[in-house]
Structure formats: structure tokens, C-alpha cells
Amino acid sequence: MNKSSIRAFGVALFLVGALLSVADRFDLNIGLPTVASTNDKDVEELQKQLEQATKEIASLKAQTTKETVTENTKEENATDATAVSEHAESSTPDSDDEVTMTLQIYSGITPYIVAQKLEDGGIITNSVEMELLLANAKYARSLQIGSYEVNSSMTLEEIAKLITGKKQ
């Protein structure tokens, strides 16, 4: 074999490889066997399983709701006499309801993540309000790295001042 035929063979191999690569990239069928037919069967089976699971979840939710309603009515009937006196006592705010957590602020943390952590910890009820407050020009880019003890009795403004190091 001479040099030009070896070169031509190499070019042909390169072109075949490029053609296969392009066909694979654009999902072109160039006569190679495919396994798409078994995938369709798998998809149908998985859809049936999903529908069955959804029906089971719905029935469990309905069953749980019925049990909860039944338990609540039993409890209400048993405690009707004492409910009035307990209600009068519980009208004063309880300090036991206060939730406390340690908030970790690290480098690169965003106001969104801080607000989510506070909401997940039960400190605040609406993470969007806190996120907007921390994105405010007054606090923007001022989060200070560290650990902070926060509790549910603090206002959003107090928490923001604490974790940004702004003066009270």
C-alpha cells in the first residue's frame, strides 16, 4: 500500500466517525437498530403505576381526613365543660410558643436562602417578606458571616438588623 491509499483510508474512517457522531447528536436513524419499542411499553407501565399510586394517595388522604374529623368530634364532646375555662386561661400569650433557632450565615448566602431557613425553622411565617427586606438597599450585601440566635418573637426588622450588623 502506498501512502495515498493509507491516507484515504484514514480520511474515510474519520468521515464515518463524524457521520455516526452527527447522527447520534441529532437522533437520526441511519439503519442502526434501536430499542425505542421497549421504551414505549415501559412508559405505559409506569403511567399505570403512577395512576394507581395517585388513587391510593387520594384514598389515604380521604381516610385520614375522616379519622381526624371523628377524633375531633370525640374530643369536643368529651371536653365541652372544660373548654370555656381553658379558653379564658389561654387568652394570655404563652411564652412556651416561642421558637428559637441558631441561624448560620456563611459566605455567599443569599437573602432567599436566609428567608427560607427562617421560615423552615418556624421563626417567620412568610419568607418572601424577609427576602424583600434583606434585598432592600438598607440591608443589601450586608449579611455578616456567623451564628445568630433568633426567635419567633423578634420582628423581621430586628432579625435583619441582627444578621447584617446594622445598629438597633
Side-chain angles (χ1 to χ4, degrees):
M1 285 210 255
N2 61 17
K3 210 176 198 183
S4 63
S5 61
I6 293 175
R7 184 174 292 143
F9 182 71
V11 169
L13 285 177
F14 175 76
L15 288 175
V16 168
L19 177 66
L20 288 174
S21 175
V22 168
D24 184 50
R25 179 163 176 90
F26 294 107
D27 291 332
L28 299 176
N29 186 1
I30 56 172
L32 298 174
T34 61
V35 291
S37 60
T38 60
N39 286 343
D40 293 338
K41 292 177 186 175
D42 291 341
V43 167
E44 290 174 11
E45 183 180 330
L46 289 173
Q47 285 177 340
K48 288 178 184 177
Q49 289 176 353
L50 178 63
E51 289 172 10
Q52 183 180 2
T54 305
K55 289 177 185 176
E56 288 178 21
I57 290 172
S59 68
L60 288 174
K61 282 183 180 178
Q63 186 179 16
T64 304
T65 304
K66 289 178 185 176
E67 289 175 0
T68 305
V69 168
T70 305
E71 288 176 7
N72 285 346
T73 55
K74 287 179 183 176
E75 288 176 8
E76 287 175 6
N77 292 338
T79 60
D80 275 344
T82 58
V84 175
S85 62
E86 287 180 8
H87 180 66
E89 292 174 10
S90 65
S91 63
T92 58
D94 291 338
S95 61
D96 297 339
D97 294 343
E98 186 176 290
V99 179
T100 304
M101 74 173 274
T102 302
L103 178 65
Q104 296 286 334
I105 306 289
Y106 52 86
S107 178
I109 196 167
T110 63
Y112 172 79
I113 295 172
V114 171
Q116 280 303 124
K117 283 184 173 188
L118 290 169
E119 184 176 35
D120 293 344
I123 303 299
I124 61 174
T125 56
N126 189 348
S127 64
V128 175
E129 290 178 18
M130 186 64 174
E131 181 183 0
L132 291 173
L133 180 64
L134 291 174
N136 185 330
K138 182 177 178 183
Y139 300 115
R141 302 184 188 272
S142 298
L143 292 175
Q144 299 296 311
I145 297 172
S147 296
Y148 301 95
E149 288 293 323
V150 292
N151 61 56
S152 58
S153 67
M154 298 172 76
T155 65
L156 295 179
E157 191 79 20
E158 289 173 335
I159 295 171
K161 286 179 180 178
L162 176 68
I163 63 178
T164 58
K166 302 289 182 183
K167 293 185 179 180
Q168 296 288 339

